[in-house]
Amino acid sequence: MRTERLVGWILALLTTILVVGNQQDVGVARDEIVYMQHGSRYAEWWLGLVTLDHGIGKATVTKTWGGPGATDNNREHPPLIKTLFGLSEKLFHDGLGVDEVTAYRLPTAVLHGVCVLLVYLMALALWGFAEAVAGALLLMLLPRALFHAGLAAFDAPIMTLWFASIYAYWKCLDGRKWPWQAGVVFGLALATKHNAFLLPFAIGTHYLVLGVRNRAAGWRGIVLHRWRLIVSFVVLGPLTLVAVWPWLWFDTFQHVRDWVAFHTTHVHYNFEYLGDNWNAPRFPWHTALVTTLFTVPLVTLAGAALGAVSWWSRRAQVTDLSRAPGLLLALSAAASIGPFFLGTTPIFGAEKHWMPALPSICLVAGVGVVWAARLAIGFIDTLRPVPARGRAAILGGVVALVVAAAAVETVTAQPYALTWYSALAGGAPGGADRGMNRQFWGVAARGVLPVLAAEAPPAGSPPRPVYTHDASPAWGLYQRLGLVPGTLPDAGREQVGIDRSKLAIVIHEKHFNRHDYLVWKSYGTVQPIFVLRAHGVPIVSVYRRP
Amino acid sequence: MESSDEAGRVVPRRLHVVPVLLLVAIAAWEILATRCSATSVPGDPAWAKAAQFVRAGYQPGDLIVFAPGWVDPVGRMHLGDLIPIEVAARMDAARYGRIWELSIRGARSPDTAGLTPVAITRGAGIEIRRYERTPVEVVADLRDRVTTARVEGGGGGPTVELAEVGFAPHRCLQVVPTAGVPLRITFPGVPLGTELVGYVGIADVFTRRDNRAPAQLDVELGGQVIASATAGVDDGWIRFAAPTTPGTAEVTFIARASSAHRLICFAAEARR
């Protein structure tokens, strides 16, 4: 058993290494810049607090964590992960010389490894070693999730903290006296991203279903069968959130209300789906379904479908029947993805917003793949007895082939994974044919930096301003990293910036077409000098003023 | 899923291999399909060769289009010098007698709908189709007469803009009527043919998002409304047309919007 658990840790480490390696070629997302900057400030504040440089007065807290505006000091997002970004940058960049971007992104990469570990451990406990390895590898080899895990953002971390909450709750259903872990992890999830508000729907429903099984004990049996867990969630969850978020240390209710209100009244960003640009409800009910079909490897989805069938047909064999883990995983996925079927929940960002459903899918996929292989082994055994080594070879071969398919999709997707779609959609070109969203956050601009650098005048010459479009927030960082020469300053925003520029980039998204036209008008030409493509699909155009 | 043999032993059925065969087939297909789709779109050498072919046969006034629409930036990179802004931001393709269509993945451009190519050349994944037809004869383009426009009602006079309407470029007359007050734009002495054809839409994706009200455009000739079009925020570039009697007349466009800051973009041609 110790060896088996060690394998889980090795898979987690491999996942983190894979994410860190992969993000080296991924450009800096627009929002990352904001989270990095505020993360550094949050980290400095905590370090200042422990070194007694300042206290915890309202003024000092507000200066770093809040303010009167809805987005002052990025107070619209909880701070846990941003704080980790900042601490990581201080430790690994300032202290150990790791490059700045990697240092900021390291916490997300580590958390992704943790998510793989948790899926592994749960599958190991419920089904066995083979299922655990298969499920963990399928989670590791999700193209979009791997991409998001390489960004200093919230989406991969909330997947981990969401699943960690589910895992901790499941573990704490064992009747332990002090189930503090469940509440604390839930609090950390709340401090990561507001998706965590949906967790009670999954956990609460599951808890009540277990209670109904216990209905002979009356309503107390239904509601209070694990009352300590309720206390843990209700008390420790909010306390943990408040503990890591100084902005909630005063005017707590008002600040929580502001936080929730920001997201319930969030502007609808533009997002392309099946050929149409969506920026207002009602959104198509099938967005989450189709997008998941097109962004999770088909083999993983097929494994999950088989896994669901096998889980149901063998539910009596589950080692942990009393805690209904299959139901818990299903509810976890449903609570995460369910709101996107309503037609009113914003769909921008698409699959990154329901990533917490993925651990359930991959864990069940691992079960399905192994079940299918074992069924086949059983059949072959009736024709000709298969020795143990042969059984292992067949099982290993099936798992390896399935994992290889997911791996090929994952490798193909990088570094422009937001433009990638699965084989079911026809890859990136198929996604473009179907009018699926091309990309967002300006990440792809990184790919044209060498083209722009080749256009740079030598040092000391007059600068050639660049209209940097959606890469504008990252431009200073790109210059600091030496990817953009100092003689290529950012020209500024919109038409004024374009008119001032000598070079321009346009990042291709449907609603960004207007930027092409603004450049045409100013430059007097429709001809870019370079078009960056992902598998033939245009993602960034570069223009030079004639 | 299981049955027993004569000795009572549990024997898996042949169906038991179906799940694994399904998985193996999907995995094998996914590996091949992923690699195939990743290399299925022609690269720059193919485009350079196609561009060379088009240049050899290109005549001034030809229209060059690319299909599917998403490959347009690549096409413009190779042939953009033959596509003036006015052509890229055309009202429609009716005035072009020769059209070159560079297509990948079997796609067709909306500009060649209903046409049959007179020549097709295929090479390295790009199909070059040439279409020839009798173009419409434009006797007056209202965009060229903007300085003659007379304005009454709510809002300022039209300006000629290169605008994004329905996520496509259109050179158009742009007006912003006062909410609830019709804006009348009159063009005096317009030479007319047998038909007046035009398009209308709402410019700018962000104003379309923030203001969901539609735009209305009526066309008046001799005090009679001869055409009307309503453009919603998701409708794009809406066509309208009306028969006309050849001669010279005053043409009035009446733009309406129920809310402020509605950027109404329109273009119209009198055709023989």
Side-chain angles (χ1 to χ4, degrees):
Chain A
M1 196 65 181
R2 270 180 69 177
T3 309
E4 288 178 343
R5 291 177 75 88
L6 181 64
V7 170
W9 284 96
I10 291 170
L11 287 171
L13 180 64
L14 283 176
T15 302
T16 300
I17 292 170
L18 182 65
V19 172
V20 170
N22 186 60
Q23 61 83 34
Q24 302 284 338
D25 296 327
V26 174
V28 178
R30 191 179 58 214
D31 287 21
E32 275 189 292
I33 296 293
V34 178
Y35 305 149
M36 289 171 178
Q37 286 169 349
H38 289 288
S40 287
R41 298 193 62 203
Y42 298 169
E44 274 166 23
W45 189 90
W46 281 111
L47 293 173
L49 186 67
V50 297
T51 54
L52 304 179
D53 279 353
H54 59 76
I56 54 171
K58 193 169 179 177
T60 168
V61 168
T62 303
K63 194 176 165 191
T64 301
W65 301 89
T71 59
D72 285 350
N73 285 308
N74 201 233
R75 70 175 170 89
E76 72 274 24
H77 293 296
L80 177 64
I81 299 306
K82 286 176 285 184
T83 308
L84 293 180
F85 297 157
L87 291 170
S88 177
E89 191 267 345
K90 297 225 170 299
L91 176 63
F92 292 102
H93 176 62
D94 295 351
L96 301 174
V98 173
D99 79 84
E100 185 179 347
V101 175
T102 299
Y104 276 121
R105 289 171 167 175
L106 208 50
T108 326
V110 171
L111 282 170
H112 202 52
V114 170
C115 195
V116 166
L117 175 65
L118 294 177
V119 164
Y120 177 91
L121 292 176
M122 191 165 182
L124 183 66
L126 293 173
W127 292 101
F129 179 70
E131 288 87 346
V133 171
L137 286 171
L138 290 174
L139 181 62
M140 182 198 292
L141 296 168
L142 287 172
R144 292 275 179 104
L146 182 78
F147 173 87
H148 286 294
L151 300 180
F154 311 130
D155 305 294
I158 190 58
M159 177 170 79
T160 299
L161 268 303
W162 175 292
F163 192 68
S165 301
I166 294 288
Y167 183 82
Y169 161 73
W170 171 69
K171 293 289 278 185
C172 290
L173 281 171
D174 60 3
R176 66 187 65 188
K177 196 172 179 185
W178 302 108
W180 58 269
Q181 301 92 335
V184 169
V185 176
F186 174 57
L188 294 176
L190 285 170
T192 298
K193 201 181 172 196
H194 58 278
N195 300 48
F197 286 126
L198 297 170
L199 266 167
F201 290 100
I203 290 171
T205 306
H206 183 265
Y207 181 89
L208 286 176
V209 169
L210 292 191
V212 167
R213 287 180 175 179
N214 198 30
R215 60 183 172 275
W219 72 269
R220 284 177 184 275
I222 295 172
V223 179
L224 300 176
H225 61 97
R226 290 281 185 276
W227 65 270
R228 290 167 197 269
L229 256 175
I230 297 179
V231 173
S232 180
F233 276 112
V234 172
V235 176
L236 291 182
L239 280 180
T240 305
L241 170 69
V242 172
V244 300
W245 198 352
W247 181 236
L248 303 187
W249 291 357
F250 56 92
D251 299 333
T252 307
F253 290 107
Q254 181 61 45
H255 291 169
V256 169
R257 204 161 61 185
D258 289 349
W259 170 36
V260 174
F262 179 87
H263 295 285
T264 51
T265 58
H266 197 287
V267 65
H268 292 281
Y269 296 147
N270 291 281
F271 202 79
E272 190 179 3
Y273 172 68
L274 293 181
D276 290 317
N277 182 77
W278 297 90
N279 56 20
R282 294 198 62 88
F283 301 111
W285 65 268
H286 42 73
T287 310
L289 188 66
V290 172
T291 306
T292 301
L293 283 173
F294 285 172
T295 57
V296 174
L298 180 61
V299 77
T300 305
L301 293 172
L306 291 174
V309 171
S310 81
W311 201 305
W312 179 256
S313 64
R314 297 184 295 162
R315 59 192 181 281
Q317 300 168 30
V318 176
T319 55
D320 187 39
L321 207 55
S322 64
R323 286 187 287 182
L327 176 67
L328 179 60
L329 290 172
L331 287 169
S332 170
S336 164
I337 203 169
F340 298 92
F341 287 85
L342 298 177
T344 49
T345 309
I347 62 169
F348 64 83
E351 80 289 338
K352 82 183 181 77
H353 287 153
W354 57 80
M355 274 170 56
L358 295 175
S360 290
I361 291 173
C362 292
L363 195 158
V364 177
V367 173
V369 170
V370 173
W371 173 70
R374 287 198 173 128
L375 269 186
I377 292 167
F379 174 73
I380 297 167
D381 213 21
T382 62
L383 304 175
R384 179 180 169 184
V386 183
R389 190 176 294 177
R391 288 167 180 267
I394 294 171
L395 178 59
V398 171
V399 171
L401 183 63
V402 166
V403 168
V408 168
E409 291 271 31
T410 303
V411 169
T412 302
Q414 312 305 327
Y416 304 114
L418 296 178
T419 306
W420 164 91
Y421 289 90
S422 73
L424 189 63
D433 284 340
R434 285 167 175 73
M436 297 300 284
N437 201 67
R438 189 73 52 85
Q439 58 184 320
F440 53 88
W441 275 349
V443 174
R446 168 86 178 253
V448 300
L449 298 184
V451 177
L452 291 168
E455 297 282 325
S461 308
R464 282 186 104 178
V466 181
Y467 176 64
T468 57
H469 190 199
D470 212 23
S472 175
W475 205 251
L477 181 56
Y478 285 145
Q479 289 196 315
R480 214 161 58 236
L481 295 172
L483 297 169
V484 178
T487 49
L488 294 179
D490 182 5
R493 291 172 55 78
E494 293 285 322
Q495 192 71 64
V496 173
I498 291 170
D499 290 343
R500 192 184 295 143
S501 69
K502 301 291 184 196
L503 297 160
I505 66 170
V506 174
I507 296 168
H508 294 300
E509 290 183 56
K510 194 178 180 84
H511 72 285
F512 280 159
N513 288 357
R514 58 185 284 274
H515 292 265
D516 269 309
Y517 316 148
L518 294 174
V519 173
W520 296 0
K521 197 159 65 174
S522 180
Y523 283 26
T525 178
V526 303
Q527 188 169 34
I529 60 168
F530 179 75
V531 178
L532 179 69
R533 282 152 274 180
H535 307 134
V537 178
I539 46 178
V540 187
S541 285
V542 180
Y543 292 88
R544 182 200 297 131
R545 187 181 289 281
Chain B
M1 294 285 280
E2 292 177 336
S3 59
S4 301
D5 66 4
E6 290 167 359
R9 290 176 306 192
V10 174
V11 179
R13 294 176 183 166
R14 286 184 182 173
L15 275 178
H16 287 195
V17 294
V18 171
V20 84
L21 289 179
L22 192 69
L23 273 181
V24 167
I26 289 173
W29 172 81
E30 188 157 25
I31 290 169
L32 293 174
T34 299
R35 295 317 302 163
C36 286
S37 63
T39 54
S40 64
V41 177
D44 283 330
W47 278 100
K49 207 170 165 183
Q52 196 177 17
F53 181 85
V54 172
R55 285 178 194 283
Y58 177 83
Q59 296 171 9
D62 287 0
L63 173 65
I64 301 171
V65 296
F66 309 100
W70 57 259
V71 83
D72 187 68
V74 180
R76 282 188 282 107
M77 182 173 77
H78 287 276
L79 285 163
D81 55 312
L82 300 182
I83 306 173
I85 294 173
E86 295 73 26
V87 175
R90 60 193 170 275
M91 187 181 91
D92 64 18
R95 62 161 72 182
Y96 300 95
R98 278 165 48 104
I99 303 177
W100 298 86
E101 182 180 55
L102 286 80
S103 162
I104 62 170
R105 304 167 71 78
R108 284 288 295 264
S109 163
D111 289 317
T112 65
L115 301 179
T116 305
V118 295
I120 300 177
T121 306
R122 295 184 183 90
I126 301 175
E127 187 165 287
I128 305 167
R129 307 178 194 123
R130 199 179 79 241
Y131 302 87
E132 292 185 1
R133 60 155 172 215
T134 305
V136 298
E137 189 183 338
V138 177
V139 294
D141 183 333
L142 275 299
R143 293 170 298 188
D144 297 339
R145 306 173 78 85
V146 64
T147 53
T148 68
R150 195 173 68 241
V151 177
E152 300 164 82
T159 53
V160 177
E161 302 288 347
L162 170 56
E164 173 269 313
V165 181
F167 307 99
H170 291 291
R171 187 171 162 267
C172 63
L173 295 162
Q174 185 169 293
V175 292
V176 186
T178 304
V181 182
L183 173 64
R184 298 176 64 85
I185 308 117
T186 301
F187 293 87
V190 177
L192 296 175
T194 59
E195 192 181 29
L196 184 78
V197 177
Y199 291 78
V200 62
I202 302 171
D204 186 57
V205 60
F206 289 104
T207 58
R208 289 197 299 271
R209 178 187 68 179
D210 300 336
N211 173 359
R212 308 293 291 172
Q216 168 80 31
L217 190 74
D218 295 330
V219 187
E220 258 184 30
L221 192 62
Q224 297 277 315
V225 173
I226 60 166
S228 291
T230 302
V233 289
D234 295 322
D235 291 341
W237 191 230
I238 305 293
R239 189 178 194 271
F240 58 86
T244 54
T245 305
T248 301
E250 192 170 84
V251 180
T252 299
F253 294 85
I254 305 152
R256 292 185 180 87
S258 60
S259 56
H261 308 304
R262 185 82 292 170
L263 305 181
I264 302 178
C265 234
F266 66 97
E269 292 175 351
R271 293 173 175 173
R272 191 165 311 277

